[in-house]
Amino acid sequence: MSTPDPKPRSLRYVDALREAVAQEMRRDPEVFVFGLDVDDHRAIQGSTQGLLEEFGADRCFTTPLSEDAMTGVAIGAAMAGMRPIHVHIRMDFLMLCMNQLVNMAAKAHYMYGGSVKVPMVVRSMIGKSWGQGAQHSQGLHAMFMHVPGLKVVAPSNAYDAKGCLIAAIRDDNPVIFMEHRLLYPTEAEVPEEDFTVPFGKARQMLRGTDITIVGISNMAQECLRAASLLADLGVSVDLIDPVSLLPLDMETILASARRTRRLLVVDNAWVSAGAGGEIAAQAAEHLGGEGPLTVRRLGFAPTTCPTTPTLEAAFYPNPTSIAQAAYRMVGGDPAWTPDPAQAQLAYQQVFKGPF
């Protein structure tokens, strides 16, 4: 990671995003931000708040409901030397941009023999809670991990959110930037100065000896809560947040799994053909011949996301289901379950609604 700052302060994830964009817009006049409602008074949950007032409507502006065409605008601007940040308040809307992202943005540098750069950032928010439902809750990062030419990042804390976003803006290639909305109010120590978090380097959140757990996006935070439950049982967790999914730091994951011989991957997406499947497959390829290796994946239930709270609770992994899966992998009592009060999700205590 980048050099620690001498003046860290506590900052919310959403404020770290806003600060990163503002600093880069001050540093580089070619950076601009656009997307549906980025200049609205609600400003994408506050993540673009104040940019219109400081930088004007030429560099912070809304768009029509035309995601495919607007992505083409971003690609063209990037090819012309600008650094656009295209914001989507739901990751689900990226489905409307797939041709532009997969066939144009990701391919241009290769197809033009390296003479063309596409330095653009696509910010996309993942929804959850208060009935986000089938079309506003999807984690679609695995689709983009499949495409050479794209980079995919999913920071789980405010420090990495700021550092990754600055790195994404300065990158000469298209970057898909995933933000889980339930991370927005979470705080971490974040330097005031600009800094970058390099892609392809995982974050070691906990060091342990009994099992390796990999948590993707906000699942890294839920895994942290699960690890505290397991600690009460004497189970030591080696917890890893990949931070960037493409490129993916398998070296750190493999080093951990080689020691513990148990790997649990918890994704904020469906299990089938997902990021967890990629990590599990690489672990099996590299470590399977070295001795016994236990691998398991957790993710969304294999259905569309329900809107009712009771069904939604069964759809997502949570600290209880993560801890239970890990406990069984280390040979614990299959009937064990933690106190529900200890396993409550963070957002159930602090989240009050969308606006």
Side-chain angles (χ1 to χ4, degrees), residues 35-37 44 65-68 71 86-99 101 122-126 132 135-138 140 144:
L36 187 66
D37 292 340
I44 314 294
L65 278 170
S66 184
E67 286 84 354
D68 184 55
T71 304
H86 193 189
V87 183
H88 299 266
I89 201 167
R90 293 289 183 278
M91 191 172 197
D92 314 70
F93 301 157
L94 294 188
M95 294 300 92
L96 299 167
C97 318
M98 290 300 278
N99 180 57
L101 293 173
V122 179
R123 282 185 49 199
S124 59
M125 189 186 302
I126 301 173
Q132 291 282 286
Q135 297 177 325
H136 294 79
S137 59
Q138 300 171 94
L140 302 171
F144 299 102

Side-chain angles (χ1 to χ4, degrees), residues 1-33:
M1 302 298 168
S2 58
T3 304
D5 187 89
K7 300 177 183 177
R9 73 261 139 92
S10 184
L11 198 66
R12 296 188 306 163
Y13 191 103
V14 62
D15 297 324
L17 293 173
R18 181 178 61 241
E19 186 170 88
V21 175
Q23 289 180 342
E24 287 304 288
M25 291 180 77
R26 293 181 195 121
R27 188 186 68 85
D28 185 350
E30 300 299 336
V31 178
F32 68 96
V33 58

Side-chain angles (χ1 to χ4, degrees), residues 41 69 86 173 196 256 312 320 341 352:
H41 68 284
H86 193 189
N173 302 288
T196 60
S256 174
E312 186 187 54
T320 292
K352 302 300 182 185

Side-chain angles (χ1 to χ4, degrees), residues 204 212 238 240 251-261:
Q204 190 87 42
T212 300
D238 212 53
I240 297 171
E251 184 177 344
T252 296
I253 296 171
L254 292 174
S256 174
R258 180 172 279 115
R259 288 189 294 104
T260 66
R261 308 307 299 181

Side-chain angles (χ1 to χ4, degrees), residues 206-207 210-211 213 223-237 323 326-327 330 336 338 342:
L206 294 174
R207 293 194 179 276
D210 295 322
I211 185 169
I213 300 181
C223 289
L224 196 60
R225 294 170 63 81
S228 69
L229 299 173
L230 291 165
D232 293 339
L233 301 170
V235 177
S236 174
V237 173
Y327 195 45
V330 299
W336 170 79
Q342 292 181 304

Side-chain angles (χ1 to χ4, degrees), residues 155-208:
S156 72
N157 61 75
Y159 180 95
D160 288 338
K162 179 175 178 179
C164 281
L165 186 49
I166 291 175
I169 294 168
R170 296 179 184 179
D171 199 293
D172 285 335
N173 302 288
V175 179
I176 308 296
F177 196 94
M178 292 170 49
E179 309 158 14
H180 199 292
R181 63 174 298 115
L182 294 185
L183 294 171
Y184 271 28
T186 62
E187 297 186 7
E189 287 192 348
V190 181
E192 291 185 20
E193 293 77 6
D194 63 291
F195 65 96
T196 60
V197 169
F199 302 151
K201 180 62 179 175
R203 178 171 292 284
Q204 190 87 42
M205 298 178 70
L206 294 174
R207 293 194 179 276

